[in-house]
Amino acid sequence: MNHLLDQLYKAKLRLAGLVTALLGVALMVVSHRVDTIPVLSWLVGWPTGEVGSALLSAGVIAVIFEYYARKETAARTNEQLRHAIRQEAPAIRDAVLDSFAFEPETMRSIASDETLDKIATNAIGLRLGDAELARDAYADLREQVIRSPERWRNVDVSVSLSPREGGPAKGKDSMFVATIRWEYEVRPSSSTLRFVSTSDQAEYQELLRDPTVAGQWMFEKLGALDASSHDTFELVQLTVDGVERPVRRALRRGTQVYTVALGKAATTGNEVTISYTYRILAQRHGHLLYLDLPRPTKGLHVQLSYGQADIRYVNVLDYFASPDASRVERSPKTAPARTIDVGFDGWVFPRAGVAFVWVLQDELNPTASGVGISTRVR
């Protein structure tokens, strides 16, 4: 089926040829009757016959010739265009690739997210030489980073371990009070932060996948203590750019939820500094305190202070998927304040973190006993 413009061109060409031919025929007829019709006597001496022949020729022969010649002209033009494209294709290709490589906003303006995902996967596959590995690696990166609602910067965490007052100092039910303060810069994705403490393992696993929860904690029920108790977890304070925000607490069986509205500063789209402090209970014989990072994080510093906790030694484990190693600094053994500082300047992906594993002084006593539970916090 011909293009609409070609059909319109043919119709105009036929109409112009018909009108020109009819006008030529009319002039030729007039030239033969000019002597017999008095009203046309003023045309005597005019070359009406020659003009009519010329118009007839233009209307029939010239139009037909131009129509068929146009096909050859169009074919010749197409061939020249194809030849030019073949000649310039490498330069055009290099220009496009250079534009994508050095001006990524150009690619953003012409490609959808799905197309960008395919381009990224193919590029990684070419560099790795393994298409399957590239697909899996990029899928993990997309889930952890691209679809993350927030990205944190300059995260500073301080942890202080001290014995629990009012509880047993030693034995399987002995506890540490861990006071933990977080501070970081972020463009908030929500105007509200929620912190949940639960004794239900299934609920805790669901909370780990809930992007609306800023922090989640699991505390296994121990005697009269469960996750809904003020002793096991308490959000003490939260500030936005140094301004303290009110904290609301709600209880249900085995669970407590803290909710904090961030205020107008968190709805402007600008980066703000959020800091909050909470207290948790950690089993002494759990031997583990794990700080989990739920968002992509650039720049991390963690300090553990354990001078009052009767701990002999603390091992540090970081779970940073990076070729760069973290910095670990310990206070001198002669210093009264026992501290460990962990620093990392690169990016840390979600679900990574830092684990502190300790050895208690009283565990060196062969009569000491007791089995505890570990504590995973953020």
Side-chain angles (χ1 to χ4, degrees), residues 285 312-313 359-368:
H285 290 280
R312 179 180 179 85
Y313 187 79
V359 178
L360 299 171
Q361 288 283 3
D362 57 43
E363 288 177 329
L364 299 179
N365 185 348
T367 62

Side-chain angles (χ1 to χ4, degrees), residues 107-375:
M107 184 181 294
R108 161 60 64 185
S109 64
I110 64 174
S112 64
D113 291 343
E114 291 75 13
T115 302
L116 292 175
D117 288 341
K118 293 178 181 178
I119 292 174
T121 302
N122 292 335
I124 295 173
L126 291 174
R127 291 292 293 143
L128 297 179
D130 189 329
E132 182 179 1
L133 175 58
R135 285 193 300 270
D136 294 341
Y138 184 73
D140 291 342
L141 182 67
R142 183 176 62 242
E143 292 298 323
Q144 294 184 73
V145 178
I146 299 177
R147 295 182 179 177
S148 176
E150 295 176 343
R151 293 171 190 175
W152 293 358
R153 296 182 183 274
N154 302 322
V155 176
D156 188 86
V157 187
S158 61
V159 183
S160 176
L161 289 179
S162 60
R164 179 194 178 197
E165 296 181 0
K170 299 180 180 180
K172 66 177 183 180
D173 293 335
S174 58
M175 298 277 188
F176 285 142
V177 175
T179 302
I180 305 174
R181 181 182 183 273
W182 288 73
E183 181 174 293
Y184 55 90
E185 299 169 7
V186 65
R187 285 187 176 87
S189 61
S190 173
S191 60
T192 303
L193 291 183
R194 290 197 304 141
F195 303 83
V196 183
S197 176
T198 181
S199 295
D200 187 335
Q201 183 66 38
E203 181 180 12
Y204 175 73
Q205 294 298 325
E206 292 180 3
L207 292 172
L208 289 175
R209 297 186 294 269
D210 190 344
T212 66
V213 177
Q216 54 275 6
W217 294 266
M218 172 68 192
F219 186 88
E220 184 179 346
K221 187 174 181 180
L222 186 64
L225 289 176
D226 65 10
S228 64
S229 172
H230 240 322
D231 293 333
T232 59
F233 172 73
E234 180 185 7
L235 181 63
V236 179
Q237 184 188 50
L238 187 145
T239 65
V240 179
D241 286 339
V243 179
E244 187 170 350
R245 302 299 303 169
V247 177
R248 293 180 297 173
R249 178 173 179 254
L251 293 176
R252 63 176 185 267
R253 185 174 182 180
T255 302
Q256 58 178 319
V257 180
Y258 289 84
T259 305
V260 182
L262 300 182
K264 293 183 179 179
T267 60
T268 61
N270 297 324
E271 199 169 70
V272 299
T273 299
I274 295 177
S275 63
Y276 51 83
T277 303
Y278 58 84
R279 288 193 296 264
I280 63 169
L281 285 184
Q283 284 269 31
R284 292 177 72 251
H285 290 280
H287 299 280
L288 172 66
L289 181 68
Y290 181 74
L291 300 174
D292 187 21
L293 290 165
R295 303 286 188 265
T297 298
K298 173 68 171 180
L300 173 67
H301 172 251
V302 181
Q303 183 183 75
L304 172 68
S305 176
Y306 61 98
Q308 304 177 12
D310 198 28
I311 291 176
R312 179 180 179 85
Y313 187 79
V314 177
N315 288 307
V316 180
L317 301 174
D318 69 69
Y319 297 90
F320 306 150
S322 171
D324 299 326
S326 60
R327 302 182 303 276
V328 179
E329 299 178 3
R330 299 175 181 270
S331 61
K333 294 182 178 180
T334 57
R338 305 293 299 277
T339 61
I340 298 178
D341 288 84
V342 181
F344 188 75
D345 297 329
W347 280 98
V348 180
F349 288 167
R351 303 277 76 88
V354 178
F356 297 102
V357 184
W358 57 76
V359 178
L360 299 171
Q361 288 283 3
D362 57 43
E363 288 177 329
L364 299 179
N365 185 348
T367 62
S369 61
V371 179
I373 59 173
S374 63
T375 303

